[in-house]
Amino acid sequence: MPSLLERIEANAEARLTLPAGRKPTEELARYRNFLKVESHRLRILHRAGGGGREVCSARSAIQDLLLQYILQATRLATPALAESNLPPLAIVAIGGYGRGELNPHSDIDFMFLHNGELVTGGRPKPTMSAIVDGLLYPLWDIGLKVGHSVRSIADCIHVANTDMQSKTSLIEARLITGNSELFKIFQKQLVDKCVTGHEGEYLEMRVKDQAARHAKYGNSATMQEPNIKNGCGGLRDFQNMIWMTFFKYRTRTTAEMVKQELVSASEARQLDAAYDYLLRARNELHYHTERAVDVLSKSVQPAVANQLGYKNPSPSKRLEAFMGDFYSHSRNIYLLTRTVEQRLALRPKPKLLPGFRRLLPFGKEKEPVVDGFKFIDGEIHTAVPRVFRDKPERLMRVFLYAQQRGLKLHPDLAQVIRQEKQLVDKAFRLNEHVRATFLEILNSRGNVARILRAMHEVDFLGRYIPEFGRLTSLVQHEFYHQYTTDEHTLVCLEKLDAVWDAQQPPFSNYAQMFREVERPFVLYLALLLHDAGKADHTGKHSEVGGVLAQRVAKRLALDGATTHNLRLLIENHLVMATTSQRRDLEDENVVRPFATLMQSPENLRMLTLHTLADSLGTSDQLWNSFKDSLLLTLFRKTYDVLVSGTMFVRAEKRERELLEEEIAENLPRTFGEDELHAHFEHLPARYFQLHNAKEIAADLSLTHRFMHLQITEEDQALEPVIAWHNERDRGYTTLKICTWDRLGLFSKITGSLSAAGINILSSQSFTRTDGIAIDTFYVADAQGGSLVTREERERFEEILLQVLTLQTVDLPALIAKQRTAVTRYQSLEGERIPTQIAIDNHSSSTRTIIEVETEDRIGLLYALAQVFAELELNIAVAKILTERGAAVDTFYVTDILGKKIEDAPMLKLTERRLREAVAALDAPRQEK
């Protein structure tokens, strides 16, 4: 099958060969038809998924053939232009055409390169004029945009050394047709006289040009309306990298850059993929607009996304997917080209970077005035002296302009705003125009935090929202907070913004959810006000915040339903984190009340996003993949209840029968039916609610191995069967242990884990009625929080085997060896995290919930579990969390008969013993 280029060449030969005696100007329809047919075929290729470079290269080949055949026909129709009579001449493509990268409506730039014999006194001889006119007129007549020049090699060297853009264009020159020897001489002299010895000068100018271009187009690779060609991370960044590396190392491709170790092979693949994607996007933009356009404006993004193969029926989802990919590729170009600059040891001089465009002629005079402002070099400037006094509403609108255009406030403008902040009075706060602008700013999901921070930095935000203003520099006393209250709030807003165009977890896990939020301004406003109640120092900031939110909502003229939802989010902004991390999410009595509290899927989405942003904005170390999975689990289960009334309890008898049948079909022959049936008979219904067929089969295999030991290896009857599995996608290791249940088993296991340097994230414990315990622990390396190492596994198994086989093991001593000299929590002036114990007999219908919050120590969980064992209390579920040096551990416990603990003296004794166990851990430290 012929290649694309072979097919184009064959079609050109068939269509563009003129009859004898015909001139090109007499066959314009032939040329138009060739271009129309081939352009249509390229469009079909593009829409079928053709790569950006593939389509651009093919279009360049089409133009090459057109020029070659027109020039050939011109010579045949003009005897004086016979090849034998002509001095050396070459037709040379330059610029983007020289690179072989023509987008559908890109300009076609080429050069008539001669050796000087065809020009006299700077003017072309008749022969040269005939060639130039014979080629250009047909091109113009058929509607092509052609840029051309007539130059000798000396001319090229002169212009290259006087203009950087011309030099750049010429080093990409490519021979279309004509004298190849002349072209080779041109290439060699260009390098010898315009590149060699000019490297430093050129690189400096290129960096200078790039800095100015970045400043002009927003200094961001994720602009809402990106310029595909000139924006940060755009095509020009990639080309700029190629040009600079050519001057430094004479490389022309990423493959050659790999050989020079400027980029790795994987980086080269990323660069090439990104560049191809952006070329493809630009191709579609040209096809869609039917003209040369570089700005991917919001108005065309949905159509471009659709034609590029993003077919989601929802326009918002389709657009998010497309722009997500676009930003991913443009960021790759932006970051990797900067890496190349570092490897080239390029450091832009400070004097070349700021406001470079303003140094050019006509810089400011050409900028239009909008509502009293000018937009220059990515910054907003005042255009009239009394811009705010004449119209105070501009104090809010200037931030809207900054948001919509991706601009920053010029320092002079920021100073004016600070000076005029007294204009933000009661009348200003109640102004309906100001109100509308503020809500519009809040409603631009993914682009809010930067503007609110800018407002805060000029003391405007606190003046307009005094409830937030009271948080300025307010210190938070909670141990896990990393920032002052106002900074925490702004960081939370930034974290929420990060969800919108997220490519990596944890943010990407919530991108779809964020897209489905119907009124983003409610969520942003809730985040802005969620800690406003802390300024009252009552200890009930959520409730106080709800009252303050109602006050703000009244000023903003929000309706009753919106105000209710706003208050709901603020008054319950801690509930979802607490529920997901400290409660048994498989308990119907946990999820259903939470669903009732949420009232609607929209509230649930917003609170989930609020919880994520609040957690990530509290501390860099607070969030992890385990907490992420818990939050998403609670969201999904609650969502099911809200939208469909899904019950969490299966139709037990029938469901278990079907489950047992499914497992029986896939079990090895070594398993008997009685063994399978016993597994189902001996375990509680909740076990089958939590596990699918695959997981049950794995547990059954574990018990089968354990029972095999009891029958064949009597001396190993007390030994457990252990299974490990690294959950890399979740960031933890799963540990399963099957053994005989016995008093203190949880304590022995947790103690062995601590002694081996393994941290417990969570656990599930089930005991069959025949006494076989199946315990699951979600664990990680205690030092780095990563997956458990082989050495740690082996150490744990060795210790646990000794403990369970009744060998003498001093667990406290082994645990003490794992203790670090300094805890991760650093107190201020002797401040310690106080121990708090809460007992809850209401949230669960079958178990007593005991919560212990204290300073984290190695061996803490073992000490707590020892207390339960000594009091003969069974731990059904343990929720283990560690946050910035604080342990927040929740235990679902029952008495020896499997019932809740409702005896008041027993509850008091349990609390006292737990406090004593925690205090005992500090005894050695205090003695020192």
Side-chain angles (χ1 to χ4, degrees):
M1 184 175 180
S3 66
L4 175 62
L5 180 58
E6 290 172 340
R7 183 193 56 75
I8 294 174
E9 290 175 343
N11 189 42
E13 184 177 2
R15 292 175 177 270
L16 299 182
T17 302
L18 303 190
R22 298 288 289 178
K23 298 180 180 180
T25 53
E26 299 170 336
E27 296 286 342
L28 297 179
R30 180 187 296 271
Y31 300 128
R32 289 195 189 99
N33 185 57
F34 171 76
L35 279 180
K36 181 178 180 181
V37 170
E38 291 301 333
S39 296
H40 181 67
R41 286 174 173 170
L42 279 188
R43 189 167 188 153
I44 293 173
L45 173 65
H46 162 77
R47 291 279 166 80
R53 273 178 160 155
E54 179 185 20
V55 172
C56 290
S57 177
R59 184 164 185 266
S60 297
I62 292 170
Q63 297 299 336
D64 286 354
L65 290 168
L66 186 65
L67 266 63
Q68 291 167 9
Y69 275 91
I70 291 177
L71 183 60
Q72 181 184 24
T74 300
R75 284 173 169 171
L76 290 175
T78 310
L81 299 182
E83 186 75 29
S84 59
N85 298 330
L86 283 179
L89 177 69
I91 310 300
V92 178
I94 57 178
Y97 185 26
R99 292 191 302 272
E101 293 173 357
L102 281 182
N103 296 101
H105 290 278
S106 294
D107 291 343
I108 303 165
D109 297 316
F110 60 89
M111 173 177 65
F112 295 88
L113 180 67
H114 61 87
N115 68 348
E117 296 182 37
L118 291 170
V119 175
T120 300
R123 299 178 64 85
K125 292 182 178 180
T127 301
M128 176 63 107
S129 295
I131 294 174
V132 172
D133 292 346
L135 184 58
L136 291 179
Y137 279 111
L139 295 177
W140 289 333
D141 289 342
I142 62 177
L144 291 179
K145 291 178 62 178
V146 175
H148 78 285
S149 58
V150 179
R151 291 171 179 161
S152 66
I153 295 177
D155 295 333
C156 292
I157 292 171
H158 173 73
V159 72
N161 283 332
T162 55
D163 179 72
M164 182 188 67
Q165 303 299 344
S166 296
K167 180 179 293 192
T168 301
S169 180
L170 288 171
I171 64 174
E172 295 182 310
R174 178 176 56 84
L175 179 65
I176 299 174
T177 187
N179 192 295
S180 60
E181 289 301 318
L182 176 65
F183 180 70
K184 290 177 182 178
I185 295 172
F186 154 76
Q187 284 188 308
K188 184 178 185 305
Q189 292 201 22
L190 187 69
V191 171
D192 292 344
K193 298 181 179 181
C194 302
V195 177
T196 302
H198 296 266
E199 291 89 350
E201 170 194 351
Y202 180 83
L203 294 173
E204 183 178 358
M205 288 191 295
R206 281 257 60 94
V207 172
K208 176 181 175 181
D209 177 77
Q210 179 154 300
R213 176 168 49 81
H214 282 183
K216 181 177 181 179
Y217 291 101
N219 270 321
S220 171
T222 55
M223 296 289 291
Q224 288 190 8
E225 296 185 324
N227 187 299
I228 300 177
K229 178 181 177 181
N230 292 304
C232 290
L235 296 169
R236 189 63 83 202
D237 277 9
F238 180 93
Q239 294 157 6
N240 197 61
M241 173 191 67
I242 296 295
W243 298 332
M244 290 193 296
T245 56
F246 171 75
F247 264 75
K248 188 94 172 186
Y249 295 106
R250 306 299 186 264
T251 59
R252 290 186 179 273
T253 66
T254 55
E256 293 175 352
M257 289 167 57
V258 171
K259 294 179 181 178
Q260 290 288 344
E261 298 183 351
L262 295 170
V263 294
S264 67
S266 62
E267 288 172 337
R269 288 192 294 269
Q270 285 182 307
L271 282 167
D272 288 334
Y275 190 64
D276 189 82
Y277 185 92
L278 264 60
L279 279 176
R280 177 164 158 72
R282 193 181 188 216
N283 285 340
E284 179 54 44
L285 187 59
H286 282 201
Y287 281 132
H288 176 74
T289 60
E290 295 297 341
R291 58 192 178 92
V293 177
D294 291 320
V295 177
L296 192 58
S297 64
K298 293 165 71 174
S299 61
V300 302
Q301 286 172 10
V304 171
N306 182 64
Q307 293 296 348
L308 288 180
Y310 297 85
K311 300 298 184 181
N312 195 302
S314 167
S316 62
K317 294 177 182 178
R318 181 169 69 244
L319 182 60
E320 173 63 19
F322 165 52
M323 295 309 294
D325 287 347
F326 183 94
Y327 290 143
S328 177
H329 287 299
S330 62
R331 277 196 298 270
N332 280 342
I333 290 178
Y334 180 66
L335 296 175
L336 291 174
T337 52
R338 290 191 60 178
T339 299
V340 171
E341 290 178 13
Q342 294 172 354
R343 291 171 181 166
L344 288 171
L346 296 176
R347 293 293 184 270
K349 297 180 181 180
K351 65 179 182 179
L352 299 178
L353 294 178
F356 172 71
R357 188 171 182 272
R358 292 193 294 276
L359 301 178
L360 299 176
F362 61 83
K364 287 188 177 182
E365 290 73 14
K366 292 291 184 178
E367 298 295 338
V369 175
V370 178
D371 195 19
F373 303 100
K374 286 185 178 181
F375 311 135
I376 305 172
D377 297 329
E379 296 179 329
I380 303 181
H381 298 249
T382 58
V384 295
R386 295 171 53 90
V387 63
F388 297 122
R389 288 182 178 267
D390 291 342
K391 293 184 179 180
E393 299 97 314
R394 288 172 173 165
L395 276 168
M396 185 65 77
R397 286 203 294 268
V398 68
F399 293 101
L400 180 63
Y401 300 146
Q403 181 188 58
Q404 292 175 335
R405 293 163 173 79
L407 306 175
K408 297 179 180 180
L409 304 180
H410 186 275
D412 292 344
L413 174 59
Q415 183 61 33
V416 172
I417 295 174
R418 291 189 186 96
Q419 294 171 349
E420 301 288 6
K421 63 184 179 182
Q422 74 277 0
L423 295 174
V424 185
D425 53 15
K426 182 178 180 180
F428 183 90
R429 296 187 193 100
L430 296 176
N431 184 296
E432 62 178 326
H433 301 290
V434 173
R435 178 169 67 226
T437 304
F438 183 64
L439 293 178
E440 178 63 23
I441 290 172
L442 293 184
N443 215 39
S444 183
R445 70 182 94 202
N447 191 25
V448 174
R450 180 179 66 88
I451 300 304
L452 294 187
R453 181 179 287 279
M455 290 182 180
H456 188 48
E457 289 173 351
V458 295
D459 301 326
F460 174 82
L461 182 59
R463 295 279 296 191
Y464 184 66
I465 306 291
E467 294 79 3
F468 173 79
R470 295 190 305 162
L471 303 181
T472 302
S473 299
L474 179 65
V475 175
Q476 303 193 78
H477 298 288
E478 293 89 342
F479 62 87
Y480 45 80
H481 271 285
Q482 191 173 345
Y483 310 105
T484 58
T485 313
D486 56 334
E487 179 64 14
H488 162 68
T489 300
L490 294 172
V491 172
C492 288
L493 291 161
E494 290 169 352
K495 299 302 183 182
L496 179 59
D497 272 355
V499 175
W500 176 243
D501 62 350
Q503 301 297 319
Q504 300 293 331
F507 300 105
S508 60
N509 298 334
Y510 301 84
Q512 176 65 29
M513 193 185 306
F514 197 16
R515 289 196 294 270
E516 293 174 355
V517 171
E518 296 178 359
R519 297 186 297 171
F521 77 89
V522 179
L523 176 56
Y524 276 109
L525 188 58
L527 266 178
L528 180 64
L529 299 172
H530 78 281
D531 275 348
K534 288 187 175 180
D536 280 19
H537 302 290
T538 63
K540 300 180 179 180
H541 76 280
S542 297
E543 293 86 345
V544 174
V547 175
L548 295 176
Q550 185 163 346
R551 183 192 305 171
V552 175
K554 184 177 181 180
R555 287 204 307 271
L556 294 176
L558 302 183
D559 59 48
T562 303
T563 302
H564 171 76
N565 292 337
L566 179 65
R567 289 197 63 172
L568 184 148
L569 292 176
I570 293 173
E571 291 174 351
N572 298 285
H573 74 270
L574 300 175
V575 172
M576 197 167 190
T578 301
T579 302
S580 65
Q581 296 173 23
R582 304 187 186 182
R583 294 292 180 263
D584 181 6
L585 302 185
E586 307 307 328
D587 190 339
E588 182 181 357
N589 290 317
V590 170
V591 177
R592 284 197 173 280
F594 180 72
T596 301
L597 177 66
M598 288 298 93
Q599 302 175 5
S600 72
E602 177 76 350
N603 287 336
L604 175 63
R605 292 188 193 98
M606 291 194 292
L607 187 60
T608 303
L609 291 161
H610 192 297
T611 302
L612 174 73
D614 193 11
S615 299
L616 290 170
T618 298
S619 168
D620 294 337
Q621 306 300 320
L622 185 63
W623 200 247
N624 56 44
S625 59
F626 186 70
K627 292 180 182 179
D628 193 69
S629 66
L630 292 176
L631 182 60
L632 290 171
T633 297
L634 180 57
F635 170 81
R636 287 191 291 266
K637 289 181 176 295
T638 307
Y639 185 84
D640 287 342
V641 173
L642 289 170
V643 301
S644 63
T646 300
M647 299 297 293
F648 293 104
V649 179
R650 299 174 186 262
E652 293 181 7
K653 186 176 181 180
R654 183 54 185 160
E655 288 290 344
R656 289 178 67 172
E657 288 175 354
L658 293 173
L659 200 55
E660 187 172 352
E661 291 173 5
E662 180 182 352
I663 295 171
E665 293 176 359
N666 297 292
L667 278 180
R669 295 180 179 178
T670 53
F671 285 77
E673 291 186 9
D674 56 340
E675 190 174 357
L676 173 60
H677 186 67
H679 193 73
F680 273 76
E681 287 295 318
H682 288 314
L683 283 163
R686 181 174 176 274
Y687 172 85
F688 299 99
Q689 297 165 12
L690 294 176
H691 297 81
N692 58 36
K694 182 179 179 181
E695 293 166 339
I696 294 172
D699 284 351
L700 184 57
S701 177
L702 207 65
T703 59
H704 178 80
R705 289 167 53 197
F706 178 69
M707 291 304 298
H708 181 76
L709 286 179
Q710 310 310 303
I711 297 172
T712 62
E713 305 289 345
E714 293 184 7
D715 58 334
Q716 299 181 26
L718 295 179
E719 295 184 12
V721 173
I722 298 174
W724 300 86
H725 186 259
N726 282 338
E727 302 281 354
R728 296 188 181 276
D729 291 336
R730 295 176 172 84
Y732 55 79
T733 299
T734 300
L735 164 65
K736 280 186 174 288
I737 300 173
C738 182
T739 187
W740 292 115
D741 191 23
R742 67 205 79 174
L743 185 63
L745 177 62
F746 186 83
S747 174
K748 292 179 173 64
I749 296 174
T750 55
S752 300
L753 286 167
S754 295
I758 298 173
N759 187 38
I760 303 170
L761 303 175
S762 186
S763 66
Q764 291 178 356
S765 301
F766 290 96
T767 301
R768 299 189 350 169
T769 55
D770 59 359
I772 297 177
I774 305 173
D775 292 345
T776 304
F777 292 86
Y778 304 97
V779 297
D781 168 63
Q783 295 298 319
S786 56
L787 301 177
V788 177
T789 65
R790 176 180 296 180
E791 291 76 13
E792 289 168 335
R793 293 182 183 189
E794 293 173 352
R795 178 62 174 154
F796 163 74
E797 292 181 13
E798 178 186 350
I799 295 172
L800 182 63
L801 180 60
Q802 293 173 354
V803 171
L804 295 184
T805 55
L806 306 180
Q807 299 179 43
T808 301
V809 180
D810 190 350
L811 280 178
L814 292 175
I815 293 171
K817 292 181 180 179
Q818 294 292 334
R819 296 182 181 175
T820 55
V822 181
T823 62
R824 285 181 295 174
Y825 171 66
Q826 300 297 311
S827 61
L828 298 175
E829 298 181 357
E831 177 192 2
R832 301 292 298 279
I833 300 172
T835 298
Q836 300 182 43
I837 298 177
I839 298 178
D840 179 3
N841 256 333
H842 303 288
S843 297
S844 174
S845 60
T846 59
R847 301 169 188 135
T848 297
I849 302 173
I850 300 177
E851 253 180 28
V852 180
E853 182 175 322
T854 187
E855 188 173 323
D856 191 27
R857 298 102 161 154
I858 296 294
L860 172 64
L861 184 56
Y862 168 67
L864 298 177
Q866 276 286 83
V867 171
F868 293 127
E870 292 167 2
L871 296 177
E872 297 186 330
L873 300 179
N874 179 55
I875 301 174
V877 177
K879 306 285 286 184
I880 312 303
L881 298 170
T882 302
E883 299 175 351
R884 196 172 165 79
V888 184
D889 299 340
T890 306
F891 303 92
Y892 285 67
V893 300
T894 62
D895 62 18
I896 198 169
L897 300 176
K899 297 181 179 179
K900 293 173 71 171
I901 308 166
E902 298 182 311
D903 179 65
M906 184 60 179
L907 291 174
K908 289 183 180 179
L909 174 62
T910 302
E911 181 179 352
R912 179 172 62 82
R913 292 286 303 279
L914 289 172
R915 288 188 182 277
E916 291 173 351
V918 173
L921 292 173
D922 292 330
R925 185 181 345 186
Q926 293 170 353
E927 289 172 3
K928 292 180 181 179

